[in-house]
Amino acid sequence: MRGVHGRWLHVRLPGAAAEFIPLAPETLAETIGGGGLAGRILLDLCPPGADPLGPDNPLVLASSPFAGTGITTASKIAVAARSPQTGMIGDSLSSSWLALALKGSGADAIAITGRCGEWSVLVIDRGAARLEPGCDLLGLDPAETSAALRSRLGNGFRVAAIGVAGERGVRYAAIANDGRLAGRTGTGAVMGSKRLKAIAIRGDALPPVADRAGLAAAARGLTRRSLGPETAKYRELGTAANLAFFNRIGILPSRNFADGSFSGAEAISGERLFADRHAARHACAACTIGCEHHYRFRAASGHDAAVRLEYETLFALGSLCGVDDPDAILRAAAACDRFGMDAISAGGTIAWAMECRQRGVDLTPFGGPAPDFGDAAAMLALLEEIGERRALGALLGEGSRVAAETVGQGSGAWAMHVKGLELPGYHPRKLRAMALGLAVAARGACHNRSSAYEADLSDALSPAAAADAVAAAAIAAEDQAALLDSLTLCKFLRHAFDDLPGEAAVLYRLVTGLDVSRDDLLRAAAGAVLDRRRFNQRMGWTRDLDTLPPRLLDGDPLDPATLDLLVAAYYRGRGIPETGIA
Amino acid sequence: MWTLHPGVIRVNPSAKIASATAPSLDLAYPSAMTSPNPPAAPTVTVECFGVPRMLAGAAVPCAGDTLAEIARDLGRHAPALLGTVVDPAAGWLLPGYVFVIDSAFTRDPGATIHPGCAVLLVASAAGG
Ligand code: SF4
């Protein structure tokens, strides 16, 4: 098999003893790569019941056959571990130069187990692993850490780092590289629990592909299509374009999902931000779309600054918290980047605290009073407390599920999470397929693992569709996401394909030389979803976890019985028993 | 008036593939329609979101009994949409865009319009 190294690297801490483990071509073909491969290695390596913040929990970084081949948007890595936020599978994707360094490292994946005695940096230099001291980097943000290490280690290194949130065990801490985040499910806290401040990788041993000329031609064609109108939304405005439209159709989560529209939406809309504050556009390495838009704001210091802003950050730190001040939202986004934490979970947990205040639940005994909805200054102060895990931030750094369990007083009724992961910016009240997708997603409430909203926001699904049709749409969306994550193609490229699995199979053949069909890829993608469910099962999943927060099951229009029918249809469609899969 | 970053593509109407070397567009963010000649008898106001809004403004009054007629009128009254959102040759939406009529997403040119209905224009790449 070409386009891969056919082995992964197991690094055991504290000594950084490293061993290459062969990867059978069947395993690679079965999992495709990327997210599928990371999930399979995690499934094989993580003992049942492993403490997410203990030494046995593996931290897996996986590459894919497409990474480093010149296929647009494919410079991505998949990260996986048992999530300290959900107890279930934690997996994320990140992009850019680190992915190229990993692909060139001589291994298709790296899995790290154990724990360092002192804060350290794991250096993987052309496949050779060693530890360097990391204590001097404590307190630095991910960008500062990366800059310090690259100047210390020399040319060619790319760095994945955690910020203070990861050092201090915020359960939704992220791993950052090249200005991008593996944001959700707290893999940054897992890295911090291993006392790894950073992982620095250097490598240029890209494996040869099967058909170089054929691949170059196909990649050029895809690049041309990536510049067409199907991706214009991302290129021109970025995901922030969602906000005004979602507000108009009533699916913009506001004030902790109490509403689906927000009176301040115009002030924080992507179109308004672009007009008033657009500073720059960037792209991940080897991407021709370039969806990364940066916006100007006035920093607390009084200086002008700019920060990358995505829709999910905009909604979570904006409408979800009732905040309509663009400067405050951009400062909050910068704070999440600086501390290295997931903005969706940060905003979702703060919104839970705001509703505590609204409902008269006093959080003062837990570290301090909660702010009112719309109190931008207090939201910014809370983000600092969360990042440093002090005062009320110590509680909120646990995420809304644990915070509600700690506080009690019925506050679980407004903790808006699935399996402990806070909901993304799609109010599922009007989105049936998305509601189901969120309920059953293995990593918890997630728009990246279940893009079932696409069926709701199209003519593909009638509002009167039966449960089996809704389930089929949710399954197809989940499989498509798994396919893209395993190929490590960006989701923003998906509309540039006429037949994603068919065209991806052609590319896969050109890269690997394997005779893979579109059906093979679809089967592998579904297999990756099932691997995640298998992992969850091993970690204690029960059927009642495939549900939605009570607020969304109040009969308007979803109720528990209706969701139950949808979830049952999902299991039927997947061909798995309701009790879980072996 | 804002100038968009390099990379804005004006679509070649005869091909699905955009030209990467086309010049940048000037994007404004007008709050009303951009046409100097509004239709005599508008039947609906098309509410634009995302790139269409940046190019044409938040709302463009259009006349037509079907979406096909609305799309053609859109191109007439908001010329900046031609080649970017509306295919000038076909007079219909380029791939990548969709109408929403009273909450129903559609690219059916024959869909009928009645006065007072809500017509939205948005990228068909939902979400992000
Ligand atoms: S479209 Fe955006 S997120 Fe995707 S690879 Fe390109 S720059 Fe990165």
Side-chain angles (χ1 to χ4, degrees):
Chain A
M1 178 175 180
R2 312 304 287 267
V4 294
H5 299 285
R7 58 187 190 170
W8 60 277
L9 186 66
H10 188 179
V11 180
R12 291 183 175 86
L13 302 176
E19 179 188 6
F20 281 108
I21 315 279
L23 255 178
E26 311 84 68
T27 307
L28 275 162
E30 238 173 68
T31 61
I32 302 173
L37 179 59
R40 178 64 62 86
I41 292 174
L42 181 69
L43 185 64
D44 290 345
L45 208 56
C46 186
D51 176 358
L53 297 178
D56 291 342
N57 189 16
L59 179 64
V60 184
L61 280 67
S63 182
S64 81
F66 284 9
T69 60
I71 296 175
T72 186
T73 79
S75 293
K76 291 188 185 288
I77 54 165
V79 180
R82 185 180 187 196
S83 165
Q85 191 178 2
T86 67
M88 300 287 132
I89 190 160
D91 67 318
S92 277
L93 253 72
S94 186
S95 304
S96 220
W97 300 102
L98 180 75
L100 297 178
L102 174 61
K103 183 69 183 271
S105 71
D108 297 312
I110 296 168
I112 304 159
T113 52
R115 170 184 284 159
C116 298
E118 300 284 343
W119 281 96
S120 305
V121 174
L122 174 62
V123 179
I124 297 179
D125 192 359
R126 301 188 170 102
R130 68 175 194 271
L131 287 177
E132 294 221 349
C135 290
D136 56 318
L137 302 168
L138 291 180
L140 298 185
D141 70 34
E144 291 167 339
T145 305
S146 176
L149 275 175
R150 292 183 69 200
S151 112
R152 187 205 291 181
L153 295 171
N155 280 342
F157 279 96
R158 291 289 163 174
V159 176
I162 57 172
V164 172
E167 293 171 22
R168 302 198 181 173
V170 172
R171 284 182 190 267
Y172 41 88
I175 299 174
N177 66 280
D178 307 305
R180 312 286 311 185
L181 293 180
R184 303 224 72 192
T185 66
T187 49
V190 175
M191 190 160 142
S193 76
K194 299 189 177 307
R195 295 204 185 93
L196 281 180
K197 175 67 178 171
I199 303 168
I201 305 176
R202 178 164 67 176
D204 45 20
L206 294 177
V209 300
D211 180 347
R212 200 168 157 179
L215 178 65
R220 271 197 304 276
L222 191 57
T223 292
R224 276 201 304 279
R225 282 186 279 166
S226 78
L227 299 168
E230 295 89 347
T231 56
K233 166 185 164 177
Y234 303 113
R235 196 170 51 243
E236 309 305 349
L237 269 172
T239 53
N242 290 341
L243 192 131
F245 178 63
F246 282 12
N247 182 61
R248 176 66 177 83
I249 62 172
I251 63 165
L252 173 66
S254 303
R255 294 174 177 258
N256 200 28
F257 284 83
D259 296 310
S261 59
F262 179 49
S263 58
E266 164 61 21
I268 62 171
S269 69
E271 294 90 335
R272 175 54 63 196
L273 290 173
F274 184 91
D276 293 349
R277 294 166 178 271
H278 196 260
R281 181 178 70 122
H282 297 292
C284 298
C287 169
T288 46
I289 297 175
C291 73
E292 192 179 305
H293 293 264
H294 293 235
Y295 301 89
R296 281 187 300 275
F297 68 103
R298 180 61 54 91
S301 61
H303 293 102
D304 285 341
V307 67
R308 174 170 76 94
L309 186 73
E310 303 292 343
Y311 165 69
E312 292 296 337
T313 305
L314 181 57
F315 111 88
L317 303 169
S319 60
L320 193 67
C321 293
V323 171
D324 62 4
D325 173 355
D327 238 23
I329 296 169
L330 291 162
R331 282 168 62 185
C336 288
D337 283 355
R338 183 160 40 85
F339 285 111
M341 57 191 186
D342 174 28
I344 302 176
S345 284
T349 309
I350 290 174
W352 167 84
M354 287 171 161
E355 186 156 349
C356 284
R357 181 180 179 102
Q358 187 184 55
R359 291 175 178 268
V361 174
D362 184 12
L363 297 185
T364 309
F366 300 93
D372 286 313
F373 279 113
D375 186 340
M379 177 183 77
L380 285 164
L382 259 185
L383 284 170
E384 302 280 328
E385 291 181 11
I386 293 171
E388 294 169 0
R389 288 211 78 156
R390 60 179 168 80
L392 184 58
L395 175 74
L396 302 187
E398 297 285 315
S400 62
R401 178 175 69 180
V402 173
E405 285 166 2
T406 306
V407 169
Q409 304 177 61
S411 62
W414 59 88
M416 302 302 290
H417 66 85
V418 173
K419 303 181 180 77
L421 191 70
E422 284 70 23
L423 268 73
Y426 302 76
H427 204 309
R429 217 182 269 293
K430 295 182 177 178
L431 308 175
R432 272 200 312 161
M434 188 58 177
L436 174 59
L438 291 173
V440 298
R443 82 166 181 176
C446 172
H447 62 297
N448 277 325
R449 297 296 172 274
S450 175
S451 50
Y453 57 81
E454 285 206 296
D456 295 305
L457 302 179
S458 72
D459 57 1
L461 198 63
S462 127
D468 284 329
V470 176
I475 289 169
E478 205 172 37
D479 288 352
Q480 177 183 269
L483 176 59
L484 289 163
D485 290 347
S486 299
L487 294 166
T488 68
L489 286 179
C490 187
K491 296 196 172 68
F492 299 163
L493 189 65
R494 65 195 186 276
H495 291 282
F497 293 96
D498 292 323
D499 168 22
L500 169 63
E503 293 170 55
V506 172
L507 291 168
Y508 204 81
R509 286 197 292 270
L510 292 168
V511 171
T512 65
L514 290 184
D515 187 19
V516 164
S517 69
R518 77 186 295 284
D519 287 348
D520 291 334
L521 284 188
L522 284 173
R523 254 192 308 278
V529 175
L530 294 182
D531 269 358
R532 289 193 197 119
R533 295 193 73 89
R534 267 187 207 101
F535 181 86
N536 283 359
Q537 176 101 8
R538 194 180 289 175
M539 299 300 157
W541 172 91
T542 48
R543 190 197 192 283
D544 59 319
L545 291 175
D546 283 354
T547 189
L548 290 170
R551 166 163 296 163
L552 301 175
L553 298 176
D554 59 1
D556 178 24
L558 265 184
D559 57 29
T562 311
L563 180 65
D564 205 54
L565 281 176
L566 291 172
V567 171
Y570 171 87
Y571 297 143
R572 265 198 313 282
R574 280 258 174 241
I576 54 177
E578 303 214 357
T579 48
I581 49 175
Chain B
M1 181 77 74
W2 284 265
T3 303
L4 196 65
H5 51 77
V8 173
I9 304 302
R10 185 171 284 279
V11 171
N12 173 355
S14 63
K16 185 178 171 187
I17 309 299
S19 158
T21 55
S24 294
L25 295 176
D26 281 340
L27 287 195
Y29 181 47
S31 57
M33 60 169 289
T34 52
S35 167
N37 301 307
T43 56
V44 288
T45 298
V46 178
E47 298 174 53
C48 299
F49 294 89
V51 171
R53 178 178 289 201
M54 301 303 292
L55 292 164
V60 182
C62 286
D65 292 322
T66 63
L67 270 188
E69 291 170 18
I70 293 290
R72 270 195 295 276
D73 216 31
L74 258 180
R76 273 196 291 275
H77 295 291
L81 296 178
L82 290 174
T84 52
V85 175
V86 175
D87 182 336
W92 180 241
L93 295 183
L94 286 161
Y97 292 94
V98 65
F99 284 116
V100 186
I101 308 180
D102 292 338
S103 324
F105 288 71
T106 179
R107 279 181 58 89
D108 174 7
T112 52
I113 303 296
H114 36 89
C117 69
V119 180
L120 320 183
L121 172 60
V122 68
S124 46

